[in-house]
Amino acid sequence: MSQAVLKISCPDRKGIVAEVCQTLADCSANILDAQQHREDLDNQFFMYVKFDSSELNCERDILRTRLQSKAELIGFDWELNFSDEQKRLAIMVSKYDHCLYDLLLKNKYGEIDAELTLIMSNHDDLEPTAKHFGIPFYHIPRNKDNREEADQQAVDIFTEQKIDFIAMARYMQILTPILINTYPNKIINVHHGFLPAFKGAKPYHQAYAKGVKLIGATSHYANEELDMGPIIDQETVRVNHSYSAENMVQQGRDIENRVLARAVKAHAADRIIVYKGRTIIFD
Amino acid sequence: MSQAVLKISCPDRKGIVAEVCQTLADCSANILDAQQHREDLDNQFFMYVKFDSSELNCERDILRTRLQSKAELIGFDWELNFSDEQKRLAIMVSKYDHCLYDLLLKNKYGEIDAELTLIMSNHDDLEPTAKHFGIPFYHIPRNKDNREEADQQAVDIFTEQKIDFIAMARYMQILTPILINTYPNKIINVHHGFLPAFKGAKPYHQAYAKGVKLIGATSHYANEELDMGPIIDQETVRVNHSYSAENMVQQGRDIENRVLARAVKAHAADRIIVYKGRTIIFD
Amino acid sequence: MSQAVLKISCPDRKGIVAEVCQTLADCSANILDAQQHREDLDNQFFMYVKFDSSELNCERDILRTRLQSKAELIGFDWELNFSDEQKRLAIMVSKYDHCLYDLLLKNKYGEIDAELTLIMSNHDDLEPTAKHFGIPFYHIPRNKDNREEADQQAVDIFTEQKIDFIAMARYMQILTPILINTYPNKIINVHHGFLPAFKGAKPYHQAYAKGVKLIGATSHYANEELDMGPIIDQETVRVNHSYSAENMVQQGRDIENRVLARAVKAHAADRIIVYKGRTIIFD
Amino acid sequence: MSQAVLKISCPDRKGIVAEVCQTLADCSANILDAQQHREDLDNQFFMYVKFDSSELNCERDILRTRLQSKAELIGFDWELNFSDEQKRLAIMVSKYDHCLYDLLLKNKYGEIDAELTLIMSNHDDLEPTAKHFGIPFYHIPRNKDNREEADQQAVDIFTEQKIDFIAMARYMQILTPILINTYPNKIINVHHGFLPAFKGAKPYHQAYAKGVKLIGATSHYANEELDMGPIIDQETVRVNHSYSAENMVQQGRDIENRVLARAVKAHAADRIIVYKGRTIIFD
């Protein structure tokens, strides 16, 4: 069964759902799952529709044209993706490999609705892992002197490989605007702290010093402000006085895996809309 | 702002969402929140629509008539409730009062979209609590010889008081069919075990003997089969070897509160559809 | 059965446990539960021993004298409390009553190993609640001009009533050093944010603006630095884009209850040692 | 730093802790962490002591002899293990590989205090994975006709390889008494259900049919009764009406990983005592 997801965002007014669904019905699309949300403060409307596209009575382009007409009439932004045109995912990684393995396994089990196209690293340590899972591996060394060149090289490869979105699976480097701006709201980072607390380096050591009783991990879109992009998912895990900072690092790996994987799955499945620095996530 | 919730259930086919939303749009209803779900196994479709009903351009009865026409055409079951016609809630309780206090407080804070109409008990211990919160209290003694009479008396009062649904806040009695059948899928019970494990009496003691590492609580609709009605909410809490059965009872109170309160809130807000002994809960 | 808890803290060296336990054994105390912990970074040793004191073969003062001798020999700080000499607890509250009810109920169920002696408030709204539960209520109005006087008045009453520790059950006032310094590490506050993020006012609104996916609550000892005292307990709960700041406030109440109650229970049961701004909590 | 763990279990009486700790102090062992627990119902005492054994002033055998003398005097069972004599761990696996990868990674990160000696499977699919991580792999085909032979073959290899304990990382076979009885309370299984509910096959499908709102996973020691051995760890994860049984399987993988890993880590670190079909786990 081929499926598609339509996402819409616009100032709220009456009748949007009816008109959009009528457009879909006219093309013989059967709605499988849908959610609407209205942001009270701004009177902003968001809509997610997943539909069966296997019996469309028209070309996909016709459907797109009709949606565009509606969009101009009603004034909504829209995005339409078909499940048989999978997004292409690149993973960036350094040496810590737990998030990488987790994504590779979830990919293997078919949990991520995307094509895992390549792995890119600033080290070559994880090339055997990429090979073990049969994913192409690119090694782009990166140091403080060649950041721009390295990121440009990455952009070139991503462009050539038609990459749609990127997961930073503990990529221990700060991206330059070259990458950030090429993929706005398409680069997912995992931070090993419960943002906005413990930004920056060594969050577990900050957490230890503060004596917190929960540590957290956060997945978010990378933007030009370090660790401050739109939050996608967060999780915490209980710690106590007996945990050293090293024990916290250990505990943290599991929740880093989970918040990153959930973010990647949600993005792949077109379930995220970014609005005013926050994420609307349909599930 | 007056709001309304429309719930629909039927075998799936194309165009339902469009047609229903068009009916709402024709009456000038603005959709605030909506969710659709399709049960794959049975090809059954479920829809929840919350809309702003303050600017309807027609009488509510006209809207109902139009929905009924659609319902006959498409073949769906439907239910429509307006937020200014609040459901009337009765609480049944025995002597344990933690769930009662929790519901009374959440009601006071306006978290439950219902009118807490009365409290009924087989003991009079909690009359001062009812009084403290200004809720009418009915004492109906109940023993093994007068169950039917007691339940009939309860039904009479509930009928007179136009009760729409009932929360058994640790009501330590087994209801007779007299009550169960009068309020199908409208009586919410909380069981202090992680159903379907540990049915029946003393679930915490069963849990202790088994050496489980999590204990649970379950809210569900009461039906004729003890502790087997459709599950609404469940929660678990971690225990360990140092917990006696009494400690588990203590830990369990908090999660009993929560699963009952969430069930009551969901039912009050018309977010539940029961289908084949399971619950669809829109949130 | 009368029980006692002995807590010890000192630089680590060999033989401490043996010597302390021998002292207890010499007095015919039977150890029921014990935990030791060594802080690696500082080589600091902590010990918690709960023992059956009902068959002591000597006066409690003799035991205290012997422990003091050991303490001088080994160089440890110690604290010994008997369960039949319950700590006296005062609750400070303003108008929000959810934490107050939760503590009152847990006290009624015998979950807090302390004597709930009095409730003090800067408003009189909750006097009926205090009365309903049979707890003396003190009303001390407080405004920006009389903070010192009000806090001095509180200290006077607490002193007279032999109060050992204080729970601020959403007491919406900033304490002056008069109170803080009289009860160092004996005043427990609950903050409706996941500290150290979202300090200060309106943490839920801060959380909403940031778009976090978890909100938190924190119980901590109050010290002279606002919201920065030693953290005792924390909990988070999942939220999403559909939660307004007001919905977060509602969700937050439950976790505020829980982190405060757990802190009060741990303090009452002598399970907390404060060390370098962090808490060691034996459980 | 070499460390050791001493575990003791016996009917409770006064002075045990003092005597045991004195024995350790006499050998110049420094206690790092210790916990005692008394089972009220049975008056049974349990003790866990982790100590620094790097400055013992006597041979390990002398310490053992002294402990044995005390044991005979007091009547306790005891077990002493030194961290530099790591337990040897075997993993049994079939085709599902998520638990295997999780253990291999945690082993690589040094989280499991054991030597991962070998992987054994009834299929050869995961041989490349074993190879990728550099762990010897044994393939022992197994079908309904050769169960005893296969298990005997496994026991032979385990014996030869001096295996101390075994993790069944989704080994989809029912062990015969040949294996079970050779390694009592040393074989850790993970069951993809919240035991004791949903025993046996296809627990997620059972859970779906029942409409539960949480699914669970359980790690436990394997004994002769299927899925009924002493529970070591359990975890649940929230599901809702939108989850098919297949989605539950997917959600379940993460918690299977975690409950199995925690059990393996606890066993490796000598933190478990089995008593009357339940586990005492020191942490």
Side-chain angles (χ1 to χ4, degrees):
Chain A
M1 181 168 75
S2 111
Q3 300 184 347
V5 169
L6 171 66
K7 292 186 293 185
I8 282 174
S9 169
C10 61
D12 194 26
R13 74 152 172 79
K14 287 170 195 162
I16 305 172
V17 180
E19 296 197 45
V20 170
C21 293
Q22 192 56 51
T23 303
L24 293 176
D26 290 346
C27 293
S28 201
N30 187 30
I31 293 175
L32 301 171
D33 187 13
Q35 292 172 52
Q36 289 85 43
H37 171 64
R38 201 181 71 116
E39 192 91 350
D40 268 0
L41 287 182
D42 302 314
N43 194 39
Q44 185 77 7
F45 178 81
F46 304 94
M47 184 171 177
Y48 162 93
V49 189
K50 183 198 276 188
F51 58 90
D52 178 352
S53 55
S54 56
E55 299 182 358
L56 285 189
N57 62 12
C58 62
E59 295 296 310
R60 289 178 181 184
D61 275 354
I62 304 290
L63 174 55
R64 287 185 192 279
T65 304
R66 290 180 186 174
L67 283 168
Q68 183 55 27
S69 302
K70 284 281 180 211
E72 284 162 20
L73 201 69
I74 297 177
F76 60 68
D77 294 326
W78 62 286
E79 192 182 330
L80 174 65
N81 291 291
F82 290 85
S83 65
D84 53 14
E85 301 166 1
Q86 277 197 318
K87 286 189 180 55
R88 292 169 68 85
L89 165 64
I91 297 178
M92 298 183 82
V93 69
S94 292
K95 293 186 170 187
Y96 293 132
D97 56 5
H98 53 289
C99 285
L100 175 66
Y101 271 103
D102 190 65
L103 290 177
L104 285 165
L105 280 167
K106 287 188 165 58
N107 178 61
K108 189 166 79 76
Y109 276 105
E111 296 184 27
I112 301 170
D113 194 7
E115 183 172 347
L116 178 35
T117 307
L118 65 89
I119 295 167
M120 177 172 291
S121 179
N122 53 330
H123 299 285
D124 60 5
D125 303 53
L126 295 173
E127 183 156 15
T129 300
K131 200 167 182 178
H132 177 60
F133 283 89
I135 308 291
F137 181 86
Y138 293 79
H139 176 208
I140 303 184
R142 197 176 192 275
N143 55 52
K144 66 176 166 36
D145 297 324
N146 79 339
R147 284 182 189 164
E148 274 80 11
E149 293 88 326
D151 280 6
Q152 185 56 55
Q153 208 178 334
V155 166
D156 291 346
I157 293 168
F158 292 164
T159 305
E160 189 196 83
Q161 293 292 326
K162 298 187 167 53
I163 295 303
D164 291 297
F165 73 117
I166 298 153
M168 295 171 70
R170 298 299 310 276
Y171 183 66
M172 309 301 279
Q173 298 282 320
I174 297 177
L175 301 185
T176 66
I178 294 169
L179 251 170
I180 297 279
N181 294 337
T182 310
Y183 294 99
N185 291 334
K186 289 174 191 299
I187 302 176
I188 299 169
N189 185 38
V190 58
H191 180 80
H192 44 315
F194 184 68
L195 293 175
F198 307 135
K199 275 182 283 190
K202 290 195 168 282
Y204 292 127
H205 291 77
Q206 293 181 50
Y208 174 81
K210 178 63 196 153
V212 294
K213 298 301 181 184
L214 296 173
I215 55 169
T218 303
S219 54
H220 64 94
Y221 286 118
N223 65 12
E224 60 291 342
E225 208 180 342
L226 185 64
D227 296 339
M228 288 298 281
I231 293 172
I232 304 172
D233 197 25
Q234 300 189 286
E235 194 159 339
T236 53
V237 65
R238 192 163 283 273
V239 295
N240 63 36
H241 62 272
S242 74
Y243 285 70
S244 63
E246 285 68 32
N247 293 145
M248 290 183 182
V249 168
Q250 178 176 317
Q251 282 293 313
R253 280 189 208 112
D254 268 350
I255 53 176
E256 291 165 24
N257 284 354
R258 279 142 66 187
V259 297
L260 179 60
R262 283 203 292 259
V264 168
K265 286 156 81 166
H267 186 101
D270 277 310
R271 294 193 282 101
I272 309 181
I273 294 179
V274 175
Y275 176 70
K276 288 195 173 180
R278 302 193 300 272
T279 56
I280 315 288
I281 305 184
F282 301 101
D283 51 8
Chain B
M1 181 169 75
S2 113
Q3 300 184 347
V5 168
L6 171 66
K7 291 186 293 185
I8 282 174
S9 169
C10 62
D12 193 26
R13 75 150 172 81
K14 287 171 196 162
I16 304 172
V17 181
E19 296 197 46
V20 170
C21 293
Q22 191 56 52
T23 303
L24 293 176
D26 290 346
C27 293
S28 200
N30 187 30
I31 293 175
L32 300 172
D33 186 13
Q35 292 171 53
Q36 287 87 44
H37 171 65
R38 201 181 72 116
E39 193 90 351
D40 268 359
L41 287 181
D42 302 315
N43 194 38
Q44 184 78 6
F45 178 81
F46 303 94
M47 184 172 177
Y48 163 93
V49 189
K50 182 199 276 189
F51 57 91
D52 178 354
S53 56
S54 56
E55 298 183 357
L56 285 188
N57 62 13
C58 63
E59 294 298 308
R60 290 177 180 185
D61 276 354
I62 303 290
L63 173 55
R64 288 184 191 280
T65 305
R66 290 180 186 175
L67 283 168
Q68 183 54 28
S69 302
K70 285 280 180 212
E72 285 162 19
L73 201 68
I74 298 177
F76 60 69
D77 293 327
W78 62 286
E79 191 182 331
L80 175 65
N81 291 289
F82 290 85
S83 64
D84 53 14
E85 299 166 3
Q86 278 198 317
K87 287 189 179 55
R88 291 168 68 84
L89 164 65
I91 296 177
M92 299 185 80
V93 69
S94 292
K95 292 185 170 187
Y96 294 130
D97 56 5
H98 53 289
C99 285
L100 175 65
Y101 271 103
D102 190 65
L103 289 177
L104 285 164
L105 279 168
K106 286 188 165 57
N107 179 61
K108 190 165 78 76
Y109 277 105
E111 296 184 26
I112 301 169
D113 194 9
E115 184 172 347
L116 177 36
T117 306
L118 65 88
I119 295 166
M120 177 172 290
S121 180
N122 53 329
H123 299 285
D124 60 4
D125 303 54
L126 294 174
E127 182 155 17
T129 299
K131 200 169 182 177
H132 176 61
F133 283 88
I135 308 292
F137 182 87
Y138 294 79
H139 177 208
I140 303 183
R142 196 174 192 278
N143 55 52
K144 65 176 166 39
D145 298 323
N146 79 339
R147 284 181 188 165
E148 274 80 11
E149 294 89 325
D151 280 4
Q152 185 56 55
Q153 207 177 334
V155 166
D156 291 346
I157 292 169
F158 292 163
T159 305
E160 189 197 83
Q161 293 293 325
K162 298 187 168 50
I163 294 303
D164 291 295
F165 73 117
I166 298 153
M168 296 173 70
R170 299 297 311 274
Y171 183 66
M172 310 300 281
Q173 297 282 320
I174 297 176
L175 301 185
T176 67
I178 294 169
L179 250 169
I180 296 279
N181 295 336
T182 310
Y183 295 98
N185 293 334
K186 290 174 190 299
I187 302 176
I188 299 168
N189 185 38
V190 58
H191 179 79
H192 44 316
F194 183 69
L195 294 175
F198 307 136
K199 276 182 281 190
K202 290 196 170 283
Y204 293 126
H205 291 76
Q206 294 180 52
Y208 174 82
K210 178 64 196 150
V212 294
K213 300 300 181 183
L214 296 173
I215 54 170
T218 303
S219 55
H220 64 94
Y221 287 118
N223 65 13
E224 59 290 342
E225 206 179 343
L226 185 64
D227 297 337
M228 287 299 281
I231 293 172
I232 304 173
D233 197 24
Q234 301 189 287
E235 194 159 338
T236 53
V237 65
R238 192 163 283 274
V239 295
N240 63 38
H241 63 271
S242 74
Y243 285 71
S244 63
E246 285 68 31
N247 293 146
M248 289 183 182
V249 168
Q250 177 176 318
Q251 281 294 315
R253 281 189 206 112
D254 268 348
I255 52 176
E256 292 165 23
N257 284 353
R258 280 143 65 187
V259 297
L260 179 59
R262 281 203 292 258
V264 168
K265 287 157 79 166
H267 186 101
D270 278 309
R271 294 192 281 101
I272 309 180
I273 294 178
V274 175
Y275 176 71
K276 289 197 172 177
R278 302 193 300 272
T279 57
I280 316 286
I281 305 184
F282 300 100
D283 53 6
Chain C
M1 181 168 75
S2 111
Q3 300 183 346
V5 168
L6 171 65
K7 290 185 295 185
I8 281 174
S9 169
C10 62
D12 193 27
R13 74 152 174 78
K14 286 170 195 163
I16 304 173
V17 180
E19 296 197 46
V20 170
C21 292
Q22 192 55 53
T23 303
L24 293 176
D26 290 346
C27 292
S28 201
N30 187 30
I31 293 176
L32 301 172
D33 185 15
Q35 292 171 53
Q36 288 85 45
H37 171 66
R38 201 181 71 115
E39 192 90 350
D40 269 359
L41 286 182
D42 302 314
N43 195 38
Q44 185 76 8
F45 178 81
F46 304 93
M47 184 172 177
Y48 162 94
V49 189
K50 183 198 275 189
F51 57 90
D52 178 354
S53 56
S54 57
E55 298 182 359
L56 285 187
N57 62 13
C58 64
E59 294 297 309
R60 291 177 180 185
D61 276 354
I62 304 289
L63 173 55
R64 288 184 191 280
T65 305
R66 290 180 185 173
L67 282 168
Q68 183 53 29
S69 303
K70 284 281 179 212
E72 284 161 18
L73 202 68
I74 297 176
F76 60 69
D77 294 326
W78 63 286
E79 191 183 331
L80 176 64
N81 291 291
F82 290 86
S83 64
D84 54 13
E85 301 166 2
Q86 277 196 319
K87 287 189 179 54
R88 292 169 66 84
L89 165 65
I91 296 177
M92 299 184 81
V93 69
S94 293
K95 294 187 168 184
Y96 293 131
D97 56 5
H98 54 288
C99 285
L100 175 65
Y101 271 102
D102 190 65
L103 290 177
L104 285 164
L105 279 168
K106 286 188 164 57
N107 178 62
K108 189 166 79 75
Y109 277 105
E111 296 183 27
I112 301 170
D113 195 8
E115 183 173 346
L116 178 36
T117 306
L118 66 87
I119 294 166
M120 177 173 290
S121 180
N122 53 329
H123 299 285
D124 60 5
D125 303 54
L126 295 173
E127 183 156 16
T129 299
K131 200 168 183 178
H132 177 61
F133 283 88
I135 308 292
F137 182 88
Y138 294 79
H139 177 207
I140 303 183
R142 196 174 192 276
N143 55 52
K144 65 177 167 39
D145 298 324
N146 79 339
R147 284 181 188 165
E148 275 80 11
E149 295 88 324
D151 279 5
Q152 186 55 57
Q153 209 178 333
V155 166
D156 291 347
I157 293 168
F158 291 163
T159 305
E160 190 197 83
Q161 293 291 329
K162 297 187 169 52
I163 294 304
D164 291 297
F165 74 117
I166 298 152
M168 295 171 70
R170 298 299 310 276
Y171 184 64
M172 309 300 281
Q173 297 281 320
I174 297 176
L175 301 184
T176 68
I178 294 170
L179 250 170
I180 297 279
N181 295 335
T182 310
Y183 295 99
N185 292 334
K186 290 174 192 296
I187 303 176
I188 299 168
N189 185 38
V190 59
H191 179 80
H192 44 315
F194 184 68
L195 293 175
F198 307 135
K199 277 183 281 190
K202 291 197 168 282
Y204 292 127
H205 291 75
Q206 293 180 52
Y208 174 81
K210 178 63 196 151
V212 295
K213 299 300 182 184
L214 297 173
I215 55 170
T218 304
S219 55
H220 64 94
Y221 286 119
N223 66 12
E224 59 292 340
E225 206 179 341
L226 184 65
D227 296 337
M228 288 298 282
I231 292 172
I232 304 172
D233 196 24
Q234 300 188 286
E235 193 159 339
T236 52
V237 66
R238 193 163 281 273
V239 294
N240 63 37
H241 63 270
S242 74
Y243 285 70
S244 63
E246 286 67 33
N247 293 145
M248 290 183 181
V249 168
Q250 177 176 318
Q251 282 293 312
R253 280 189 206 112
D254 267 349
I255 53 176
E256 291 165 24
N257 284 354
R258 281 143 64 188
V259 296
L260 179 60
R262 282 203 293 258
V264 167
K265 286 157 80 166
H267 186 102
D270 277 310
R271 294 192 282 101
I272 309 180
I273 294 179
V274 175
Y275 176 70
K276 290 198 172 176
R278 301 193 300 271
T279 56
I280 316 288
I281 304 183
F282 301 101
D283 51 7
Chain D
M1 181 168 75
S2 110
Q3 301 184 345
V5 168
L6 171 65
K7 291 185 293 185
I8 281 173
S9 168
C10 62
D12 194 27
R13 74 152 172 78
K14 286 170 195 161
I16 304 172
V17 180
E19 296 198 45
V20 170
C21 292
Q22 192 55 54
T23 304
L24 293 176
D26 289 347
C27 292
S28 200
N30 187 30
I31 293 175
L32 300 172
D33 186 14
Q35 292 171 53
Q36 288 86 45
H37 170 66
R38 202 181 70 115
E39 191 91 350
D40 268 0
L41 287 181
D42 302 315
N43 194 37
Q44 185 78 7
F45 178 81
F46 304 93
M47 184 171 176
Y48 162 93
V49 188
K50 183 199 276 188
F51 57 90
D52 178 354
S53 56
S54 56
E55 299 183 356
L56 286 188
N57 62 12
C58 64
E59 295 297 309
R60 290 177 180 184
D61 275 354
I62 304 290
L63 174 54
R64 288 185 191 279
T65 305
R66 291 181 186 173
L67 282 168
Q68 183 54 29
S69 302
K70 284 282 178 209
E72 283 161 21
L73 202 69
I74 297 177
F76 60 70
D77 294 327
W78 62 286
E79 190 182 333
L80 176 64
N81 290 291
F82 289 86
S83 64
D84 52 15
E85 301 166 2
Q86 277 197 319
K87 286 187 180 55
R88 292 169 67 84
L89 165 65
I91 296 177
M92 298 183 81
V93 69
S94 293
K95 293 187 169 185
Y96 293 132
D97 56 4
H98 54 289
C99 285
L100 175 65
Y101 271 103
D102 191 64
L103 290 177
L104 284 165
L105 279 169
K106 285 187 165 58
N107 179 62
K108 189 166 79 78
Y109 277 106
E111 297 184 27
I112 301 170
D113 195 7
E115 184 172 345
L116 178 37
T117 305
L118 65 88
I119 295 167
M120 177 173 289
S121 179
N122 53 330
H123 299 286
D124 59 5
D125 303 53
L126 294 173
E127 183 156 16
T129 299
K131 199 167 184 180
H132 177 61
F133 283 89
I135 308 292
F137 181 87
Y138 294 79
H139 176 207
I140 303 183
R142 196 176 193 275
N143 55 51
K144 65 177 167 36
D145 298 323
N146 79 339
R147 283 181 188 164
E148 275 79 11
E149 295 88 324
D151 280 5
Q152 186 55 56
Q153 208 178 333
V155 166
D156 292 346
I157 292 169
F158 292 163
T159 306
E160 189 196 83
Q161 293 291 327
K162 298 186 167 52
I163 294 303
D164 291 295
F165 73 116
I166 297 152
M168 295 171 70
R170 299 299 308 278
Y171 184 64
M172 310 301 281
Q173 297 282 319
I174 297 176
L175 301 184
T176 67
I178 294 170
L179 249 170
I180 298 279
N181 295 337
T182 311
Y183 295 99
N185 292 335
K186 290 175 192 297
I187 302 175
I188 299 168
N189 185 38
V190 57
H191 179 80
H192 44 314
F194 184 70
L195 294 175
F198 307 134
K199 275 183 282 191
K202 291 197 169 278
Y204 292 127
H205 291 76
Q206 293 180 52
Y208 174 82
K210 179 62 195 153
V212 294
K213 299 301 182 183
L214 296 173
I215 55 170
T218 303
S219 55
H220 64 94
Y221 287 119
N223 66 12
E224 59 291 339
E225 206 180 341
L226 184 65
D227 297 337
M228 287 299 281
I231 292 173
I232 305 172
D233 197 24
Q234 300 189 286
E235 193 159 338
T236 52
V237 66
R238 191 162 284 272
V239 294
N240 62 37
H241 63 271
S242 74
Y243 285 69
S244 63
E246 285 68 32
N247 293 145
M248 291 184 180
V249 168
Q250 176 176 319
Q251 282 294 312
R253 280 189 207 112
D254 268 349
I255 54 176
E256 291 165 23
N257 284 354
R258 280 142 66 186
V259 296
L260 178 59
R262 283 202 293 258
V264 168
K265 287 156 80 167
H267 186 100
D270 278 309
R271 295 192 281 101
I272 309 181
I273 295 178
V274 175
Y275 176 70
K276 288 196 172 178
R278 300 194 300 271
T279 57
I280 316 287
I281 304 183
F282 301 100
D283 53 6

